């Protein structure tokens, strides 16, 4: 189904008109400047003008009472006319929250802004969007304000969307560094709302200090399995820990859940420099997290601001989120792609706790590790010492004192220049050369002008003189190199080329890449194809997805054969993509990706489109697809996937065959020392 287009931005500076009026060290980080600096940075990157502006409105009392009691609503309403003394007294009735005469007005605007965003997405006026609001919402409860939150914006939005649009499956992803217990309480018995949250926990030593924030809070009654908590028991968690939690927990379950709408409790205190979170994930990580969520629910993603208290880190991460919602190419993710022992232990525990409820986890180890063996405990202590010397973690993990904050500012300035400016906002378009009529393709696809023959002949004859003779092969080569050239020169982001000799064309393309100076190319071959490649130096990572057992080929670090048996109609290849291909690809950090589609492939059009969509987070979204001319009917759907005009309809979930799951586990066990993003259990941790 075609997807709507456009990104809504919902913001009104009236939500900056309340602040803390007295001394309270726990609340003084929640300041109006959080919205102002985020909005300024969005303007700085020219993102505001690219969004569709939707006005805010007040949430009505009826909408607020979808979650809150009328008594609580009356208490909040009564604060409008209070003096400072009375405001302090009301605030002391709750944990970590303050009131101001304008709080009620702003809290209603935050609810209304969120519902305006849901309406804009559900009506098809836009595809996705972000609401920049305060006060935040995810801690507030039926009868209580909590943790700077007054009305639970995202919980109200979920109840609203169920009632107004008859939705039956809503996914809430809460990447704020605090546990949104308010949301968990509202939906813990509700199987129509899947709540996923990670949060700083430190074995219940971190606020809000709740036993029910741990991984074994899986939901109650009919809601069992629909509440996923990923507790972080150490600070300093970074990009690789967050991505691993997506690959091995959220995404497999989310694809199985098949949500109709994604609501994001989009808190950025989980980002680097934040005094609350003390984590080290850099702004571009939120671009990748957003990108993955956009492959679900036909791209209907509503991001609603929650926390985030380091103004520079918050602003950059907000911009990364909006930039991705606008479908810009993603910046390269930075840092070592290896989740830490503590993160992997949490990931393993939540997977084990949810094993009874999700088919994608049915072959997992049953036993959560309530206490690690002494050996792993020692390993963890040792690792702690090692990471505490890690410059990024040590240097910029936020503290409230100002010189640390200034150091973080400087780190972020230099970091953002590195990842943002070399990558000009390349048009997300695709070059294509094929017999398929241009009108069948998305408008963003340019039909490639042919490379001039003479130029090509010299290029080809440099490689392989006798190939020049065969006209048809030469034309194929021309297609592939012409499209590749545009990608390498950053004229387009990605491209498709049809070839009668896909394997030879790919060999040439790879040589052209290395002549151009690329260091690492991920080459994924779908179907049977013999590529004569030199795989020893690590400049190519070849992954072959094929039907039959590749007996002669043993898997090595740079040559992996994934046997996948998929029959028509069953759609479960994403377990392989999420649980294996993406973790390996993110560990490898390629400069470019080449997907080669050959004859008698074992993957259907959905699986290939999904693979193309999910891989776009890598290599600044630079993908070349080489299609053997026998597979020409794929071109249209692959072009759609590449140009992002629609997320392929993945159809209803069907559990993968057991041998497919076991194949992934076998490969993971075999390669997790080489490609550390594969880690999702602490056994065999050496
Ligand atoms: C929205 C939020 O999750 O960032 N609130 C955090 C409150 C922390 C109180 N110690
Ligand atoms: Zn927070």
């Amino acid at each position: 189904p075609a997807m709507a287009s456009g990104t809504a931005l919902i913001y009104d500076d009236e939500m900056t008109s309340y602040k803390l009026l007295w001394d309270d060290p726990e609340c003084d980080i929640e300041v109006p400047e959080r919205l102002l600096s985020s909005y300024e940075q969005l303007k700085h990157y020219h993102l505001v003008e690219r969004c569709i502006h939707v006005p805010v409105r007040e949430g009505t009392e009826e909408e607020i009472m979808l979650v809150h009691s009328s008594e609580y609503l009356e208490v909040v309403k009564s604060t409008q006319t209070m003096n400072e003394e009375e405001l302090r007294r009301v605030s002391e009735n709750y944990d970590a929250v303050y009131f101001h005469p304008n709080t009620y007005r702003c809290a209603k605007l935050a609810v209304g802004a969120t519902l305006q965003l849901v309406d804009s997405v559900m009506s098809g006026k836009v595809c996705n969007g972000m609401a920049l609001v305060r006060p935040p919402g995810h801690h507030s409860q039926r009868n209580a304000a909590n943790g700077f939150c007054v009305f639970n914006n995202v919980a109200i939005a979920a109840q609203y969307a169920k009632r107004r649009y008859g939705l039956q499956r809503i996914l809430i992803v809460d990447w704020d560094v605090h546990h949104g217990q308010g949301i968990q309480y509202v939906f813990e018995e509700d199987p129509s709302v899947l709540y996923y949250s990670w949060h700083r926990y430190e074995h219940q030593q971190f606020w809000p200090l709740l036993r029910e924030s741990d991984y074994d809070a899986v939901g109650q009654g009919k809601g069992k399995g629909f509440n996923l908590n990923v507790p972080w028991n150490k600070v300093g968690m970074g990009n690789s820990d967050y991505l691993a939690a997506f690959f091995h927990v959220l995404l497999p379950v989310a694809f199985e859940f098949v949500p109709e709408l994604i609501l994001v409790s989009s808190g950025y205190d989980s980002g680097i420099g934040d005094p609350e979170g003390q984590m080290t994930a850099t702004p571009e990580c939120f671009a990748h997290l957003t990108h993955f969520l956009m492959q679900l629910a036909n791209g209907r993603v509503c991001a609603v601001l929650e926390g985030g208290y380091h103004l520079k880190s918050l602003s950059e991460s907000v911009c990364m989120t909006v930039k991705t919602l606008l479908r810009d190419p993603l910046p390269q993710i930075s840092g070592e792609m290896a989740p830490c022992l503590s993160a992997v232990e949490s990931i393993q525990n939540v997977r084990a706790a949810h094993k009874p409820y999700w088919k994608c986890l049915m072959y997992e180890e049953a036993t959560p590790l309530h206490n690690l063996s002494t050996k792993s405990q020692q390993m963890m202590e040792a690792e702690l010492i090692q990471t505490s010397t890690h410059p990024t973690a040590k240097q910029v993990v936020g503290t409230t004192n100002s010189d640390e904050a200034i150091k973080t500012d400087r780190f972020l300035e230099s970091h953002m220049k590195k990842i943002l400016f070399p990558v000009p906002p390349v048009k997300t378009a695709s070059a294509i050369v094929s017999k398929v009529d241009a009108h069948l393709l998305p408008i963003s696809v340019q039909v490639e002008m042919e490379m001039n023959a003479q130029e090509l002949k010299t290029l080809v004859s440099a490689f392989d003189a006798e190939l020049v003779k065969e006209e048809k092969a030469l034309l194929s080569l021309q297609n592939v190199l012409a499209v590749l050239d545009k990608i390498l020169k950053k004229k387009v982001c990605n491209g498709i080329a049809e070839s009668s000799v896909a394997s030879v064309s790919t060999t040439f393309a790879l040589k052209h890449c290395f002549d151009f100076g690329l260091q690492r190319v991920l080459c994924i071959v779908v179907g049977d194809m013999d590529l004569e490649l030199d795989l020893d130096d690590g400049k190519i990572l070849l992954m072959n997805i094929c039907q039959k057992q590749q007996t002669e080929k043993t898997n090595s670090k740079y040559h992996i054969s994934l046997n996948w048996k998929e029959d028509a109609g069953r759609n479960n290849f994403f377990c392989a993509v999420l649980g294996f291909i993406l973790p390996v690809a993110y560990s490898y950090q390629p400069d470019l990706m080449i997907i080669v589609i050959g004859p008698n492939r074992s993957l259907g059009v959905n699986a290939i489109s999904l693979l193309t969509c999910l891989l776009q987070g890598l290599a600044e979204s630079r993908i070349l697809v080489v299609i053997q001319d026998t597979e020409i009917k794929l071109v249209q759907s692959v072009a759609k996937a590449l140009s992002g005009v629609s997320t392929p309809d993945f159809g209803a979930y069907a559990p993968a065959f057991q041998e497919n799951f076991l194949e992934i586990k076998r490969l993971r066990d075999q390669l997790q020392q080489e490609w550390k993003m594969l880690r999702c259990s602490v056994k065999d941790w050496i």
Side-chain angles (χ1 to χ4, degrees):
M3 202 162 55
S5 67
T7 296
L9 178 62
I10 305 178
Y11 168 69
D12 189 302
D13 65 6
E14 187 165 348
M15 282 182 275
T16 64
S17 66
Y18 79 97
K19 63 180 181 175
L20 180 60
L21 293 174
W22 52 83
D23 265 352
D24 176 347
E26 188 168 28
C27 294
D28 63 8
I29 50 173
E30 205 295 307
V31 295
E33 289 72 20
R34 297 177 55 234
L35 288 194
L36 293 168
S37 61
S38 300
Y39 194 68
E40 285 312 308
Q41 199 66 352
L42 285 167
K43 283 198 284 194
H44 172 70
Y45 288 131
H46 304 295
L47 294 171
V48 171
E49 63 223 41
R50 292 174 57 194
C51 291
I52 294 164
H53 181 76
V54 173
V56 297
R57 68 170 168 85
E58 284 194 349
T60 65
E61 297 203 355
E62 185 193 4
E63 286 160 349
I64 292 166
M65 286 194 282
L66 285 169
V67 166
H68 300 285
S69 67
S70 54
E71 296 76 14
Y72 173 65
L73 174 54
E74 289 312 311
V75 167
V76 177
K77 192 185 297 181
S78 69
T79 60
Q80 288 180 101
T81 54
M82 284 184 180
N83 63 35
E84 186 173 320
E85 182 50 38
E86 293 161 327
L87 289 167
R88 288 190 73 151
R89 210 173 309 122
V90 168
S91 305
E92 267 139 32
N93 291 340
Y94 303 108
D95 177 8
V97 65
Y98 66 87
F99 282 89
H100 176 283
N102 293 344
T103 299
Y104 177 54
R105 161 77 174 157
C106 295
K108 284 191 289 181
L109 289 175
V111 169
T114 306
L115 300 185
Q116 287 284 82
L117 176 54
V118 170
D119 285 344
S120 307
V121 166
M122 291 310 296
S123 68
K125 178 181 160 103
V126 297
C127 174
N128 57 37
M130 173 157 228
L132 277 182
V133 301
R134 67 186 278 271
H138 70 152
H139 297 301
S140 56
Q141 296 147 49
R142 181 167 168 70
N143 291 302
N146 179 285
F148 315 153
C149 304
V150 176
F151 297 139
N152 201 315
N153 307 313
V154 166
I156 292 169
Q159 297 292 33
Y160 174 84
K162 282 176 66 174
R163 282 156 182 72
R164 176 148 187 199
Y165 300 102
L167 298 187
Q168 284 145 11
R169 291 184 311 282
I170 296 174
L171 168 63
I172 299 177
V173 177
D174 187 338
W175 61 49
D176 187 288
V177 84
H178 299 92
H179 179 220
Q181 83 280 35
I183 299 178
Q184 173 168 310
Y185 297 156
V186 173
F187 299 109
E188 64 190 336
E189 301 189 20
D190 184 345
S192 69
V193 178
L194 173 58
Y195 177 59
Y196 172 92
S197 169
W198 60 45
H199 31 271
R200 182 177 171 183
Y201 189 59
E202 290 172 301
H203 301 292
Q204 204 176 333
Q205 302 309 305
F206 186 71
W207 190 93
L209 308 158
L210 299 170
R211 174 69 187 78
E212 62 270 27
S213 301
D214 209 347
Y215 62 81
D216 54 353
V218 296
Q220 319 249 358
K222 292 194 306 301
K224 274 181 179 258
F226 294 93
N227 192 81
L228 286 95
N229 285 335
V230 181
W232 298 129
N233 290 316
K234 295 226 180 316
V235 291
M237 296 299 177
N239 297 345
S240 53
D241 306 302
Y242 289 5
L243 287 169
F246 261 50
F247 294 152
H248 300 301
V249 182
L250 173 64
L251 294 175
V253 167
F255 274 89
E256 181 170 338
F257 180 59
V258 194
E260 302 159 292
L261 172 66
I262 316 280
L263 301 177
V264 187
S265 267
S266 191
Y268 296 98
D269 42 17
S270 44
I272 194 161
D274 192 279
E276 279 287 311
Q278 311 264 316
M279 300 297 176
T280 63
T282 48
E284 73 275 8
C285 188
F286 295 100
H288 289 259
L289 303 181
T290 304
H291 168 74
F292 290 125
L293 298 184
M294 288 165 68
Q295 312 313 317
L296 291 155
N298 220 0
R300 282 195 293 269
V301 175
C302 299
V304 183
L305 182 67
E306 297 278 2
Y309 307 99
H310 184 286
L311 300 187
K312 188 88 187 99
S313 188
L314 163 66
S315 309
E316 294 293 356
S317 301
V318 164
C319 290
M320 280 286 157
T321 306
V322 172
K323 208 165 143 42
T324 304
L325 290 171
L326 285 164
R327 296 188 192 295
D328 277 5
L330 274 73
Q332 198 86 322
I333 196 92
S334 58
E336 198 216 351
M337 284 290 119
C340 69
L341 183 56
S342 174
V344 173
E345 187 204 359
S346 296
I347 288 167
Q348 175 175 359
N349 284 338
V350 65
R351 282 165 63 92
H354 278 272
K355 175 182 164 65
Y357 310 109
W358 298 99
K359 298 187 190 73
C360 56
L361 300 174
M362 67 201 292
Y363 300 105
E364 289 315 306
E365 284 78 29
T367 49
L369 299 105
H370 289 299
N371 43 26
L372 277 170
S373 68
T374 46
K375 173 175 169 270
S376 328
Q377 201 65 42
Q378 285 148 10
M379 299 286 296
M380 214 171 276
E381 304 313 331
E383 186 183 79
L384 184 77
I385 295 161
Q386 190 255 333
T387 40
S388 64
T389 56
H390 174 45
T392 323
K394 176 136 181 46
Q395 165 198 356
V396 291
V397 165
T399 55
T400 38
N401 71 49
S402 64
D403 69 319
E404 280 296 299
I406 293 168
K407 205 184 288 184
T408 309
D409 271 6
R410 231 180 294 119
F411 167 80
L412 280 164
E413 285 289 345
S414 63
H415 180 75
M416 295 314 293
K417 279 194 175 36
K418 240 185 8 257
I419 59 170
L420 266 186
F421 300 107
V423 181
V426 175
K427 258 170 47 58
T428 316
S430 316
I432 186 165
V433 190
S434 125
K435 288 196 271 306
V436 172
D437 304 350
H439 73 273
L440 289 179
L441 300 168
I443 40 163
S444 67
V445 175
Q446 311 156 6
V447 181
E448 177 54 36
M449 300 314 294
E450 292 182 351
M451 216 176 185
N452 76 30
Q454 188 41 46
E455 186 183 321
L456 186 88
K457 270 207 173 82
T458 40
L459 200 66
V460 170
S461 55
F463 291 139
D464 180 334
E466 105 270 351
L467 194 91
V468 174
K469 300 186 190 69
E470 215 238 289
E471 193 48 39
K472 198 175 172 210
L474 190 62
L475 182 67
S476 297
L477 257 186
Q478 167 176 320
N479 290 350
V480 170
L481 294 177
V483 171
L484 174 61
D485 225 39
K486 290 195 96 171
I487 295 173
L488 293 175
K489 290 171 181 157
K490 299 202 174 189
K491 291 188 189 122
V492 291
C493 208
N494 51 46
I496 305 175
E498 166 214 338
S499 169
S500 61
V501 282
S503 57
V504 171
S505 308
T506 305
T507 312
F508 276 113
L510 284 162
K511 280 179 190 140
H512 194 43
C513 289
F514 300 130
D515 287 355
F516 197 81
L518 297 194
Q519 293 305 309
R520 290 185 301 282
V521 178
L522 170 63
C523 188
I524 297 182
V525 176
V526 179
D528 293 337
M529 188 171 300
D530 264 335
L531 287 173
E532 298 309 315
L533 299 172
D534 166 13
L535 296 172
D536 300 337
D537 58 7
K539 290 173 80 172
I540 301 170
L541 168 54
L542 175 63
M543 202 184 284
N544 194 334
I545 301 163
C546 43
Q547 191 119 2
K548 62 182 188 300
Q549 187 69 22
Q550 305 283 318
T551 44
E552 72 283 1
K553 279 179 202 134
T554 53
N555 287 308
S556 72
K557 177 173 184 177
Y558 295 112
H559 187 179
I560 302 169
S561 296
L562 170 63
N563 300 309
W564 191 265
K565 203 168 86 63
E566 176 175 307
D567 64 13
R570 290 174 75 97
N571 174 38
N572 47 52
F573 181 61
F574 55 80
C575 310
V577 179
L578 299 173
F580 185 75
I581 296 174
L582 280 178
V584 171
Y586 269 79
S587 308
Y588 181 56
Q589 296 276 349
D591 304 315
L592 178 124
M593 289 165 282
I594 300 180
I595 298 177
V596 194
I597 299 169
N600 58 26
R601 51 192 159 77
S602 62
L603 291 185
V605 62
N606 279 345
I608 290 173
S609 306
L610 173 79
L611 179 67
T612 313
C613 285
L614 285 170
L615 282 173
Q616 282 189 329
L618 287 158
E620 294 160 354
S621 305
R622 298 198 295 172
I623 300 180
L624 167 66
V625 181
V626 178
I627 297 190
Q628 181 74 28
D629 51 6
T630 54
E631 314 301 314
I632 198 69
K633 59 186 178 307
L634 283 174
V635 165
Q636 189 179 12
S637 52
V638 172
K640 278 186 182 168
L642 283 177
S643 49
V645 292
S646 74
T647 52
D649 173 9
F650 306 135
Y653 170 81
F657 299 112
Q658 181 172 6
E659 66 261 34
N660 283 338
F661 275 113
L662 297 180
E663 166 78 355
I664 294 175
K665 273 169 67 81
R666 184 182 64 78
L667 282 171
R668 204 187 279 155
D669 291 348
Q670 187 186 341
L671 292 164
Q672 68 170 337
Q673 299 308 333
E674 307 287 4
W675 304 118
K676 294 184 171 54
M677 289 302 290
L678 286 170
R679 281 177 175 158
C680 54
S681 90
V682 295
K683 74 175 174 49
D684 309 336
W685 185 289
I686 42 176

